[in-house]
Structures are given as C-alpha cells and as structure tokens.
Amino acid sequence: MSRPSVTVVMPFAGDALDARTALATLRGLDTRPGDELILVDNSGTVPSVADGRVTVLPASAERSPAYARNAGAERALGDWILFIDADCRVPGGLLDAYFEQPIGAKVGALAGRVSSSAEGTTLAERYGAARSFLSQEAHLAHPYRPRAVAANLLVRRAAFEQLGGFYEGVRAAEDTDFTWRLQEGGWTLELRSGARVEHRYRASLRELRRQWRGYAAGRAWLAR
C-alpha cells in the first residue's frame, strides 16, 4: 500500500525518564522514505539523539502543547502531520493504519482512536480511564460541533497552514478550537477507528487535579 509522507510531531514536557520513553515510542513507529519523527522538547530535559531517526527540536519560549505542536509543524515536510501525545502507547503500524481507507479531498483531519491503557493501577488512573476524557467518539458527538483531541490527530498540512496552527497562550482546549476552526474553514473532520493508541492517565490525584484545572480554564476560554 502506498501512502503520502507523514511528519510525526510529539510535544514533550516531562523529565529525563519520561524523555527516554517518548523517544522509544517514536523509534518504534514503522516509517517509510519521506516520513519524519520530531520530538518537540518543551521542557529542556530531552537528551541528544544519536541514531538520527528522531529529530529533537528545542522549543521553550512558551510552556504549552499548542506552542510545541506549532513549533514541530513549522519544521514538517510531510504531506500530513500526525500529532501524538507523549503519554500515549503507540503501535508500530499506526501511520499505515491511517491510510487503510481512502481519504476524501476535503478531509482536513482524521481523529485516531484514543483508548485507556489497561496498565493503570492507581485510583487516579482508574478514574481517568473510567471517564474516558479523551474518547474521540464522545468529542465528535459534541452538541455544538464535532471536535477532536490532539492526542492522536492526523492533519493535512495544507489545512494546518491555512488555519495558522493551534492557538497559543491557553492552558487547554486548543485542540477543540483548532478542529472547530478547521470545519469553519471548509474542511471535514472524520474518525479513523483503526488508527488506535493507548493513553496513560495521570497517576496521582494531585496530577489529576492539575489537569482538571487546565480543562476548566480551557472550557472558560472556549465559552468566552
């Protein structure tokens, strides 16, 4: 099966141990000539990469996923840009899975499935998994307009450039804003169930509360 080139952009803001996991995740992806793997270091903790497969891009002017994603996308050469969060477990065949079915000319983005990791053992992890905060199916059924999370989101580069990327300077909801503007710009947003990743939810209640505060700030910003 032939497919267009894909640039994978992973925003990262963890510690050195998390960085090794993120790099291993990217290295585990099956790629083809023309594909790119970019880890955007939003924290200054990622070690240098010696194998040449992954480009580490320092980006610390603003600590936010939106800024990190935009910085990575600015370097992208692929026809499509796949945004993957660093706390996701990713199967090797993810890129090919996105292109198993034809993609219409007006499709600006494909929302890959985000499932809960079965490895969660803490109360916070089990609660996050039970609530399925990142369920693409739930987000696409939003009563105002379909939306998607950027934890696993494939975006046509032409559409990304038309929109000017993610809105920076906000704590959360930048992916909702992006996918709503995508549709306002004349593109469609579709679910790609076969392109699935597993998300690891916050392990402690303190981390979970910090995440909720971010979600609340994002909802307030969207409402304004």
Side-chain angles (χ1 to χ4, degrees):
M1 176 191 70
S2 62
R3 62 165 174 78
S5 57
V6 178
T7 298
V8 181
V9 173
M10 178 181 284
F12 178 82
D15 58 24
L17 180 61
D18 294 330
R20 289 195 289 272
T21 301
L23 289 168
T25 296
L26 289 174
R27 292 181 182 125
L29 283 168
D30 300 330
T31 56
R32 301 188 184 196
D35 293 339
E36 300 174 293
L37 304 173
I38 300 177
L39 183 69
V40 185
D41 182 10
N42 201 215
S43 62
T45 59
V46 182
S48 60
V49 178
D51 63 11
R53 287 200 67 204
V54 180
T55 297
V56 175
L57 177 64
S60 57
E62 176 184 308
R63 284 291 295 270
S64 75
Y67 172 76
R69 293 190 192 107
N70 287 344
E74 188 176 352
R75 292 279 299 271
L77 299 177
D79 299 316
W80 290 81
I81 305 170
L82 175 59
F83 296 103
I84 292 288
D85 279 0
D87 51 6
C88 289
R89 170 175 281 180
V90 181
L94 180 64
L95 304 188
D96 287 347
Y98 266 107
F99 295 93
E100 287 181 351
Q101 302 297 325
I103 302 174
K106 294 304 293 180
V107 174
L110 292 167
R113 176 164 286 171
V114 183
S115 302
S116 303
S117 173
E119 296 181 354
T121 57
T122 69
L123 177 62
E125 288 173 315
R126 293 197 302 270
Y127 180 78
R131 293 294 299 272
S132 297
F133 291 121
L134 300 182
S135 167
Q136 298 283 33
E137 291 86 349
H139 284 289
L140 287 165
H142 192 276
Y144 170 66
R145 178 176 291 160
R147 63 181 183 178
V149 297
N152 182 21
L153 185 68
L154 182 70
V155 181
R156 192 185 297 269
R157 186 155 70 99
F160 186 89
E161 292 175 348
Q162 175 185 321
L163 298 179
F166 291 91
Y167 188 88
E168 299 176 8
V170 295
R171 293 179 62 184
E174 77 288 339
D175 41 10
T176 293
D177 168 76
F178 177 83
T179 50
W180 281 352
R181 286 190 290 115
L182 181 86
Q183 294 165 88
E184 289 174 355
W187 299 94
T188 61
L189 171 68
E190 294 183 2
L191 177 67
R192 194 58 114 221
S193 297
R196 173 179 169 272
V197 303
E198 289 188 355
H199 177 261
R200 299 186 298 274
Y201 283 93
R202 300 296 191 270
S204 72
L205 292 176
R206 181 180 180 182
E207 292 172 331
L208 191 60
R209 283 196 296 268
R210 185 184 303 117
Q211 185 181 47
W212 284 344
R213 288 196 294 269
Y215 287 162
R219 287 194 297 270
W221 173 69
L222 281 177
R224 289 194 298 270

